Amino acid sequence: MGLFNFFARRDEESFIQPYALADGSYLYQARCTCGWFTDVYVEEREFVSALREDHAVTHQE
């Protein structure tokens, strides 16, 4: 990594991390490469997706 790459603005990326449980259900957590993350929610993918999208807007400002 060159000196200029070190000071360049890094693009942040948010995503949804699923976790499979033994009973067949899933936990979902929104995460971002900036270090931000949500609580873990059981079977609430749409809600976690909305949280992720809301956070992604902060990187566009």
Side-chain angles (χ1 to χ4, degrees):
M1 170 157 64
L3 180 60
F4 294 105
N5 290 340
F6 181 74
F7 292 107
R9 183 180 179 278
R10 187 178 78 193
D11 289 330
E12 306 295 351
E13 181 178 335
S14 59
F15 56 95
I16 296 174
Q17 177 70 49
Y19 299 95
L21 300 177
D23 67 358
S25 62
Y26 285 87
L27 301 176
Y28 297 99
Q29 182 181 45
R31 301 181 68 81
C32 184
T33 55
C34 74
W36 172 86
F37 59 93
T38 64
D39 291 334
V40 178
Y41 296 91
V42 178
E43 299 295 339
E44 293 289 341
R45 183 173 174 84
E46 292 80 25
F47 177 68
V48 173
S49 180
L51 292 174
R52 184 201 61 79
E53 290 174 15
D54 184 55
H55 175 74
V57 169
T58 63
H59 291 297
Q60 296 174 0
E61 294 176 346

